[in-house]
Amino acid sequence: MAGGRPAGSAIEMEGAMRTLPSSGRPSGTGWQSRGPLFGRNYGLSPGSRLLPPRCQENADPQKMAFLLRKQWTLYSVSPLYKFSSADLKDYARMLGVFIAAEKQKGLAVDVDGELGIKVAMSGLPELRGSEQDPAAVLVQLSLRSSVSPKNSEEKLIWSGWFCCVAGDDLLENLPENFTCLPLFLVNGAESYTAIVGSWFQKTFDCCFRRLAISPLNLTWMAAMWTGCKVDKNTAATELLFSVPHLPQPLDISYAIHPEDAKALWDTVQKTPGEITQEEVDVFMECLYSHFHRHFKIHLSATKLVKVSTGIASAHCDGIIKFLQSQYLIGVLMLLTELAISQIQ
Amino acid sequence: MQRRQSSKHSKRPLQVHHSNQTDLSAWRKGGTVDTEKSAQNRQSLSDQKNDNEQDSLEQALSYFEKIQDRVSLKKSEVLQKHLSTMESIALKRGLPPEGFDVLLDVALSGKLADTVNTRLLKSLIPASAIPESSIVSSVSWFCVSKCSSNIQLLFLRWLITMFDFIDHKEQVHALYGIFFSFLNDEKLCPYICHVLYLLTRKENVKPFRVRRLLDLQSKMGMQPHLQALLSLYKLFCPELVSITLPQKMKTYFKNADGPWKAAINAVRQRNQANSTVPQPLLLGTAQPHSRKRKWNTQLIVPASSANAQNLVVGGKMSRADSYSANESFPVEQLRTFPQLLQNIHRLEFPSQMGSVLTNPLLLHYMNCSKDESVYLRLYYWMGQTLQEECTWCVVDNNQYEEEFRGFLETVYKAECFLQEGFPSCEEFLYRSLPLWDGVSCRSQILQLVSWIPLSTFSEMKSQLCDPLAQLFFTSSLYFKCSVLESLKELLQNWLNWHVVQLDSESDSQFSSLNTTLSGLVNGVAELINFVGRISTAALHLEKSHTFLLYFILDFYETVCDIYLKYKLPLLIMPPAGVFYPALLSMDSVNLNQLCYIMYRYRTNLIAAKENEMSKKKIQQFKFSSQTYQEYNQYIIAMVGCLWTSSAFQKDNHPEGIRLDDELLKKTGVREYKNSFNIVYHPALMCYAVDFLQQAWPDDTTFNFNLIKGKKWNWYLRYLYGQGLEGLKLFIESSINRVSKASQSKAEDEDEKV
């Protein structure tokens, strides 16, 4: 990382994690004592979560491959009103017309084709946690090549997908007319996001909000993903911290060999199939104290901004990259939960 | 000094608007809800100004209407005057629909010089819509070519820009052929093409027109405007246009917006800012706020039909939508209440529920709707918007405080209109109050607090009361008063809700009353006790400030009448920390208020006791004897103070002012016994002085002992005459005067209940 960031210095610690710290268990944090308010939890994390499931047997990993290794910007979406997954073709048409109208405001719109941009909408039934979840919806914008309009050479310029993995909390009390697809992931220019988002807002009376990931939730991700089994030779687990209140930004990158991280996590994790907030805290505390022993820096006083593991990487601004198709559902489950807590 | 009057006056600085709650006309009046006097003055000033402008605009229009012959601009001062008036008003407020007929006629008839015509055309900015008839008549002027070609050109550009403002377009469409015939004019051609492009429908595409366009193209070369029209023709009738047209054309038409676009926006922004009445929705792209910061937040959503999207694809949508589309009444056209009534059966909610907030008619409609999804849609939209836009919860939002304040104001008005709080708003308050600094959007936040629905108090305590109390104790006197005012409104809203509930339940003979009632009684009692606690502390902190005391007693004016006025079996006396500062207050307003409150407590308690004795069924909610006891303690103290001059002896309240004679003697005050009676009470002494001066004009010794016996009664009548209505009610009800004409010192006794 050193030198990679123009605006600040970075401390590199690749593979430094060799000895496991034996002490450093923190006393219980005040977090859990703040129970849910009014039965709604106002964005607080629950005390414990289930381990992410490893793989969907029936899902074809190839099918989801296009979702991997791309940066997705996260949004939360309030339930869609009168959305029907049977009408995706019509929606695509309408959205196409809308985009054309936005692009050339004031002029009459050519309805049948010859728009510069082609819209495709399709369902992604593989992307769901259970039968109750509605099928995910993929929206793709592609540019028709102007050189040879007759050939179907299209260039994908923007894609976004709505999904809901194990969104039971919200689904349960939702009336019939509403469809809950609370997580929206976008890859492409913001201007297209704006047009597509506006159209969805107008058509299905929903609201989009950027979904930021709090440092606390990033620690959850760090712990959860460290515990997942990955093939060998995957990239290092890397945590990126930023030091607040400095005239110049200072980022600290903390990289750990994934096997070492996993070994540490295995000593921390007690309850099978479940992770608790306390375990996450202990895991992070151990990493912090190890770092402190070497560098005399208290990472707990800095802000965790990014977590990268072999499973996925997540940035606090709400940007995610999936790396392993068999854990896609698991990661989406956590993100769905965060999205739901933002819209409730 | 009159109780009622004074109450109205001191309410002003808090910007809490009472009449707002039910007054539909408040929406129409427009303007911000600003009850400060200065603002009212400003308002009336600007009204006046508007009236003046209206007059001079009418004069100018009638002048232009009457113009017969050419008038020189340089020579005619009248013309100069009217022209510039018209220009300035048009650019500022836009012109009314009836103005277009006159001005277009003048501008295109060629009566005046081109410079005048140009100025006229440039100032034709619509305030709302342009009547179709004025377009038709101006096109006929256009055809007879009385005006110069420059004016013709300017007119076409104007028409293109204003196309969407024309109220109907059927007759304009009928002029298609006329416009088409002007294609030959080389100079006008691009603009004529643009007009035709806007007008063309499938039935307009005819073989002879295609031929004509192709002729023109071969003559003039590949012109973008001709191509635009051709491609549209091809789109409608591919079989008629066989030539291939280039796939991509960046811009078909030059930007014809000309001088008007900016003015239109300015007018629209101005009109929107001045009024909460739904603006005529001109274009789907209407964006009152130039909010480019985020693509997805629009605080004011224009109402548009839910099926607008379906219409775009020509009703290709399957299912119910396609046939209902013909029948439903588009919300965009909903302007008046009669319209609402006539079309209520075929009205659909707009595509985005957020738009109902600024639309009173749709709020009416929402009020009638039982559809749960309507509320849920609004809930999600408002919840997300409030969170996203909150200026103190989201970093970098500070700069948009003005906008957010306006939004909160809108939400509050809608709540007043519906007489109901929004759940998303309640959640927002719970979420954001702990982070609130008590400054940003203060009056709006406190207004919204008053619409929090009644829920169990334990939840409210941690979410609302605790953060509010923290701010309350650490903020200014005025903040304290504002909080008390909004808590009073909250209490009143809860009680009103209960009364309405009661009515509807007695109608339907539904008797789940008791279970909900105990919850309500508990909730209301908790709120009153909470206010009692913070009031006691605040009076300590602010050294029993008169102003603060006024707001506290104002709260208790509602509390003391709960049983009779709101039919809720609950009476809670003010704590001693409120009662005694009011009793010993330096200001007659406070004392008078206290007297009135005690009188109402008495009336309520007596009514309760009578009810208890007559019918035994609501025994469950009998007032505890402690309430009566507390009342009696207070009344003894009061009568002892004001009347019998025995406050220090008779007061038996544990926190009262009973004092040993020994101690009192040490104070050195000679006549301590009567120092709080109606003559010597510091709040009333000024009246006593005034009375003495009137009764014994020559006596300058101010001998207060003269006021006794018959004079005592005179003095009382004098006090009543000064507007101390509360004192009058209190004395007449609570003090049993044994012999009214008694000469000696009135020997009276308080009447206990």
Side-chain angles (χ1 to χ4, degrees):
Chain A
M1 277 296 137
R5 235 161 288 273
S9 55
I11 299 168
E12 194 179 2
M13 232 194 93
E14 186 84 43
M17 191 71 195
R18 282 293 162 207
T19 49
L20 294 176
S22 54
S23 64
R25 287 189 170 250
S27 54
T29 52
W31 188 260
Q32 272 156 303
S33 61
R34 287 170 68 189
L37 313 157
F38 294 63
R40 290 158 267 175
N41 60 8
Y42 286 138
L44 304 187
S45 281
S48 72
R49 288 182 169 108
L50 294 176
L51 265 179
R54 185 179 154 84
C55 180
Q56 301 299 99
E57 289 303 322
N58 53 348
D60 180 3
Q62 283 306 307
K63 255 183 171 171
M64 296 298 120
F66 72 99
L67 301 176
L68 303 182
R69 282 174 289 281
K70 263 186 201 148
Q71 283 212 336
W72 297 100
T73 306
L74 303 174
Y75 287 84
S76 68
V77 191
S78 66
L80 310 177
Y81 178 66
K82 284 198 172 167
F83 174 87
S84 159
S85 53
D87 294 330
L88 291 183
K89 264 197 170 161
D90 288 322
Y91 294 156
R93 246 174 82 84
M94 283 151 69
L95 178 56
V97 171
F98 183 77
I99 292 172
E102 286 292 308
K103 291 248 133 190
Q104 36 182 312
K105 259 186 186 158
L107 300 183
V109 173
D110 184 341
V111 180
D112 289 311
E114 263 129 67
L115 308 164
I117 290 166
K118 192 193 153 202
V119 180
M121 264 197 229
S122 55
L124 296 170
E126 295 86 358
L127 282 182
R128 60 169 124 180
S130 68
E131 284 301 305
Q132 279 86 50
D133 291 331
V137 174
L138 175 70
V139 183
Q140 286 177 310
L141 307 187
S142 35
L143 208 57
R144 284 206 178 82
S145 155
S146 52
V147 188
S148 49
K150 293 288 170 249
N151 299 347
S152 58
E153 247 185 63
E154 285 161 4
K155 191 183 154 214
L156 186 65
I157 51 166
W158 182 95
S159 37
W161 39 298
F162 295 84
C163 78
C164 177
V165 176
D168 314 345
D169 295 359
L170 194 54
L171 286 171
E172 269 170 21
N173 347 324
L174 216 55
E176 213 182 334
N177 275 334
F178 293 87
T179 305
C180 176
L181 287 166
L183 186 63
F184 182 50
L185 304 96
V186 170
N187 175 270
E190 167 109 358
S191 58
Y192 288 112
T193 310
I195 297 177
V196 174
S198 308
W199 183 78
F200 271 90
Q201 287 190 157
K202 280 189 182 137
T203 315
F204 305 110
D205 205 359
C206 55
C207 279
F208 288 77
R209 278 176 76 197
R210 275 297 291 268
L211 181 65
I213 307 173
S214 69
L216 181 91
N217 284 321
L218 283 178
T219 63
W220 270 93
M221 291 172 180
M224 273 180 155
W225 299 344
T226 300
C228 295
K229 281 199 193 77
V230 194
D231 311 332
K232 290 209 170 138
N233 304 326
T234 47
T237 298
E238 190 196 338
L239 305 176
L240 189 69
F241 297 86
S242 107
V243 185
H245 306 302
L246 287 184
Q248 280 183 336
L250 173 68
D251 290 340
I252 300 171
S253 163
Y254 186 171
I256 310 138
H257 195 283
E259 281 172 29
D260 294 332
K262 175 99 168 65
L264 170 64
W265 174 246
D266 288 343
T267 65
V268 169
Q269 211 236 340
K270 294 279 179 285
T271 38
E274 197 187 349
I275 303 175
T276 65
Q277 176 72 59
E278 203 199 347
E279 287 164 358
V280 174
D281 290 341
V282 171
F283 175 69
M284 294 308 289
E285 201 63 33
C286 291
L287 293 178
Y288 292 164
S289 66
H290 178 79
F291 194 85
H292 182 251
R293 194 176 306 158
H294 286 272
F295 297 101
K296 299 284 172 281
I297 291 173
H298 289 287
L299 285 178
S300 53
T302 63
K303 185 188 169 205
L304 180 58
V305 290
K306 192 181 174 191
V307 170
S308 331
T309 70
I311 306 294
S313 80
H315 192 280
C316 64
D317 289 345
I319 294 165
I320 197 137
K321 194 191 269 184
F322 306 99
L323 298 169
Q324 288 282 335
S325 62
Q326 71 261 44
Y327 286 109
L328 189 59
I329 293 290
V331 176
L332 286 173
M333 200 155 115
L334 178 58
L335 292 175
T336 303
E337 184 198 314
L338 299 182
I340 287 179
S341 79
Q342 178 159 299
I343 58 177
Q344 260 183 333
Chain B
M1 280 300 171
Q2 267 184 335
R3 213 183 61 81
R4 288 289 155 203
Q5 234 176 26
S6 64
S7 84
K8 261 177 202 154
H9 275 292
S10 2
K11 260 173 208 159
R12 290 242 156 98
L14 287 161
Q15 306 205 356
V16 181
H17 207 53
H18 262 290
S19 57
N20 214 19
Q21 297 211 343
T22 45
D23 188 7
L24 174 59
S25 67
W27 290 79
R28 308 223 166 263
K29 279 175 212 151
T32 48
V33 182
D34 193 345
T35 41
E36 275 178 285
K37 232 182 183 164
S38 58
Q40 278 178 348
N41 290 343
R42 238 182 294 136
Q43 181 77 35
S44 62
L45 263 180
S46 75
D47 279 351
Q48 222 172 7
K49 215 173 124 204
N50 283 347
D51 287 346
N52 289 344
E53 281 184 353
Q54 191 65 39
D55 285 347
S56 46
L57 179 65
E58 273 166 24
Q59 281 170 16
L61 285 179
S62 72
Y63 170 80
F64 283 117
E65 202 171 2
K66 285 179 197 134
I67 282 186
Q68 288 301 329
D69 302 308
R70 203 177 181 103
V71 183
S72 160
L73 184 62
K74 273 179 199 152
K75 284 174 194 154
S76 166
E77 271 181 32
V78 192
L79 176 61
Q80 281 170 18
K81 189 191 110 197
H82 287 309
L83 188 60
S84 56
T85 327
M86 213 270 304
E87 275 176 327
S88 74
I89 292 172
L91 290 176
K92 215 166 80 190
R93 298 198 296 158
L95 294 174
E98 57 273 18
F100 288 91
D101 255 332
V102 179
L103 296 175
L104 279 170
D105 272 358
V106 177
L108 296 173
S109 63
K111 282 177 201 160
L112 300 172
D114 266 11
T115 45
V116 181
N117 295 336
T118 310
R119 280 173 67 181
L120 282 174
L121 276 173
K122 279 187 179 173
S123 54
L124 286 178
I125 311 295
S128 53
I130 300 170
E132 185 182 25
S133 58
S134 64
I135 304 296
V136 174
S137 73
S138 57
V139 171
S140 64
W141 279 116
F142 179 87
C143 292
V144 296
S145 297
K146 288 252 184 170
C147 56
S148 72
S149 64
N150 280 335
I151 295 299
Q152 278 185 322
L153 201 97
L154 191 63
F155 168 72
L156 285 179
R157 287 174 63 199
W158 177 85
L159 184 62
I160 292 162
T161 314
M162 301 297 169
F163 192 75
D164 289 310
F165 289 87
I166 303 170
D167 55 359
H168 297 95
K169 299 199 182 75
E170 273 320 299
Q171 292 176 34
V172 183
H173 272 291
L175 302 175
Y176 193 89
I178 295 183
F179 283 113
F180 198 89
S181 68
F182 278 91
L183 273 177
N184 273 351
D185 187 319
E186 213 167 310
K187 207 171 161 192
L188 296 180
C189 182
Y191 299 99
I192 289 289
C193 278
H194 199 162
V195 173
L196 291 172
Y197 191 91
L198 294 171
L199 283 173
T200 302
R201 292 171 178 172
K202 194 168 181 194
E203 60 266 27
N204 298 124
V205 184
K206 296 272 155 57
F208 75 89
R209 289 198 177 124
V210 176
R211 239 175 288 129
R212 179 77 171 282
L213 282 177
L214 291 174
D215 281 352
L216 272 173
Q217 176 150 302
S218 62
K219 207 165 77 191
M220 307 197 325
M222 295 273 263
Q223 298 294 333
H225 46 269
L226 287 174
Q227 276 178 8
L229 203 53
L230 274 169
S231 66
L232 192 63
Y233 277 26
K234 188 175 181 177
L235 182 68
F236 283 126
C237 305
E239 69 280 3
L240 293 181
V241 187
S242 52
I243 61 157
T244 40
L245 292 159
Q247 284 304 319
K248 261 182 135 184
M249 184 56 75
K250 271 234 162 321
T251 42
Y252 283 133
F253 302 109
K254 267 189 267 173
N255 189 359
D257 295 345
W260 299 285
K261 196 78 171 187
I264 293 172
N265 285 336
V267 166
R268 188 187 298 170
Q269 228 153 31
R270 201 189 114 93
N271 290 346
Q272 221 129 24
N274 283 349
S275 151
T276 42
V277 178
Q279 291 300 305
L281 296 158
L282 304 157
L283 301 162
T285 53
Q287 277 184 336
H289 297 275
S290 58
R291 192 184 181 82
K292 293 282 173 250
R293 169 170 59 120
K294 288 179 215 143
W295 56 266
N296 57 342
T297 38
Q298 224 177 337
L299 293 183
I300 307 295
V301 184
S304 61
S305 295
N307 49 23
Q309 297 297 342
N310 308 347
L311 296 175
V312 170
V313 283
K316 252 201 171 179
M317 288 288 294
S318 52
R319 297 172 305 148
D321 294 348
S322 54
Y323 57 82
S324 69
N326 302 326
E327 291 197 4
S328 71
F329 185 82
V331 285
E332 293 92 334
Q333 289 177 22
L334 187 68
R335 300 275 160 79
T336 63
F337 194 72
Q339 259 183 337
L340 173 71
L341 294 182
Q342 279 161 19
N343 299 295
I344 199 154
H345 58 287
R346 55 196 195 105
L347 200 62
E348 263 180 33
F349 278 104
S351 64
Q352 286 176 282
M353 275 306 290
S355 58
V356 301
L357 276 193
T358 45
N359 193 324
L361 296 172
L362 288 176
L363 283 176
H364 271 305
Y365 182 48
M366 197 175 127
N367 232 350
C368 311
S369 170
K370 296 250 188 300
D371 187 358
E372 187 198 355
S373 58
V374 164
Y375 288 87
L376 201 58
R377 285 161 69 193
L378 191 62
Y379 166 82
Y380 280 119
W381 177 79
M382 197 188 290
Q384 298 297 296
T385 310
L386 283 168
Q387 276 185 59
E388 186 82 2
E389 298 305 304
C390 177
T391 46
W392 59 93
C393 297
V394 182
V395 192
D396 296 337
N397 262 5
N398 307 348
Q399 42 184 325
Y400 303 103
E401 189 180 326
E402 194 62 42
E403 217 171 322
F404 188 55
R405 196 182 297 143
F407 180 64
L408 294 180
E409 194 79 51
T410 310
V411 172
Y412 170 70
K413 281 188 193 166
E415 288 188 326
C416 290
F417 190 87
L418 296 171
Q419 289 286 296
E420 188 179 12
F422 295 115
S424 46
C425 202
E426 178 193 2
E427 277 172 25
F428 164 71
L429 287 173
Y430 289 163
R431 237 184 249 253
S432 63
L433 275 179
L435 305 170
W436 189 40
D437 59 0
V439 177
S440 31
C441 310
R442 176 194 289 179
S443 62
Q444 286 74 22
I445 289 293
L446 290 177
Q447 282 174 339
L448 289 175
V449 164
S450 70
W451 279 111
I452 290 181
L454 177 70
S455 49
T456 49
F457 197 77
S458 58
E459 289 169 346
M460 237 178 105
K461 192 183 170 304
S462 59
Q463 298 299 309
L464 174 77
C465 297
D466 291 351
L468 211 53
Q470 260 183 23
L471 286 167
F472 181 82
F473 291 131
T474 51
S475 301
S476 70
L477 176 69
Y478 297 98
F479 183 82
K480 293 188 175 82
C481 295
S482 317
V483 170
L484 287 166
E485 174 82 19
S486 83
L487 291 176
K488 185 195 79 184
E489 305 254 321
L490 176 66
L491 176 67
Q492 284 176 342
N493 286 334
W494 286 0
L495 294 170
N496 283 331
W497 176 81
H498 165 67
V499 171
V500 172
Q501 211 68 1
L502 216 56
D503 285 352
S504 60
E505 283 193 17
S506 66
D507 286 349
S508 61
Q509 309 236 317
F510 227 99
S511 200
S512 60
L513 192 67
N514 284 352
T515 46
T516 51
L517 191 61
S518 67
L520 177 74
V521 168
N522 287 338
V524 170
E526 292 271 15
L527 174 66
I528 295 170
N529 289 330
F530 169 71
V531 173
R533 282 195 301 277
I534 62 169
S535 299
T536 305
L539 284 170
H540 273 291
L541 287 170
E542 302 288 347
K543 300 189 177 62
S544 305
H545 199 285
T546 303
F547 196 55
L548 179 65
L549 199 50
Y550 173 81
F551 281 91
I552 294 169
L553 293 174
D554 197 35
F555 180 83
Y556 279 99
E557 259 180 58
T558 305
V559 175
C560 67
D561 246 348
I562 286 179
Y563 181 76
L564 281 177
K565 211 168 157 189
Y566 300 98
K567 302 185 184 69
L568 192 70
L570 179 74
L571 272 190
I572 294 175
M573 299 300 297
V578 169
F579 173 79
Y580 284 102
L583 179 61
L584 306 179
S585 153
M586 304 288 282
D587 198 293
S588 61
V589 174
N590 295 147
L591 184 66
N592 186 50
Q593 261 181 309
L594 180 70
C595 287
Y596 175 77
I597 289 167
M598 292 308 285
Y599 157 72
R600 288 310 302 173
Y601 270 119
R602 184 193 141 88
T603 317
N604 277 263
L605 284 168
I606 287 175
K609 200 148 215 176
E610 277 169 4
N611 269 346
E612 255 170 54
M613 296 212 234
S614 61
K615 33 185 168 155
K616 293 188 169 65
K617 55 179 177 181
I618 47 165
Q619 284 290 316
Q620 199 188 339
F621 293 107
K622 205 169 73 171
F623 294 140
S624 71
S625 57
Q626 206 192 331
T627 312
Y628 290 101
Q629 195 191 335
E630 229 179 330
Y631 169 79
N632 283 332
Q633 284 177 334
Y634 282 158
I635 213 80
I636 289 168
M638 258 179 107
V639 174
C641 241
L642 299 174
W643 199 259
T644 58
S645 306
S646 55
F648 301 116
Q649 287 81 42
K650 281 198 172 171
D651 193 347
N652 57 4
H653 193 282
E655 294 164 57
I657 50 168
R658 187 192 188 94
L659 286 173
D660 280 341
D661 282 348
E662 288 299 310
L663 198 65
L664 284 164
K665 270 175 199 152
K666 277 186 196 165
T667 61
V669 180
R670 248 192 290 157
E671 296 194 58
Y672 58 83
K673 273 191 180 172
N674 56 14
S675 52
F676 282 105
N677 75 16
I678 53 171
V679 177
Y680 289 92
H681 194 291
L684 299 175
M685 197 183 264
C686 57
Y687 293 99
V689 171
D690 208 31
F691 176 74
L692 281 178
Q693 278 177 338
Q694 286 183 29
W696 294 274
D698 307 327
D699 189 356
T700 51
T701 57
F702 292 121
N703 185 3
F704 290 116
N705 285 327
L706 290 172
I707 306 178
K708 61 183 173 189
K710 209 185 237 165
K711 300 281 163 32
W712 180 274
N713 287 333
W714 288 5
Y715 176 58
L716 267 186
R717 241 173 284 145
Y718 168 76
L719 286 179
Y720 299 162
Q722 295 300 307
L724 296 174
E725 204 59 32
L727 185 75
K728 180 176 183 222
L729 289 167
F730 173 77
I731 288 179
E732 286 177 351
S733 65
S734 300
I735 294 173
N736 181 19
R737 307 192 61 189
V738 172
S739 58
K740 291 213 165 140
S742 164
Q743 292 294 309
S744 65
K745 190 176 157 211
E747 186 195 332
D748 299 314
E749 207 192 319
D750 53 303
E751 189 188 311
K752 294 179 188 173
V753 253

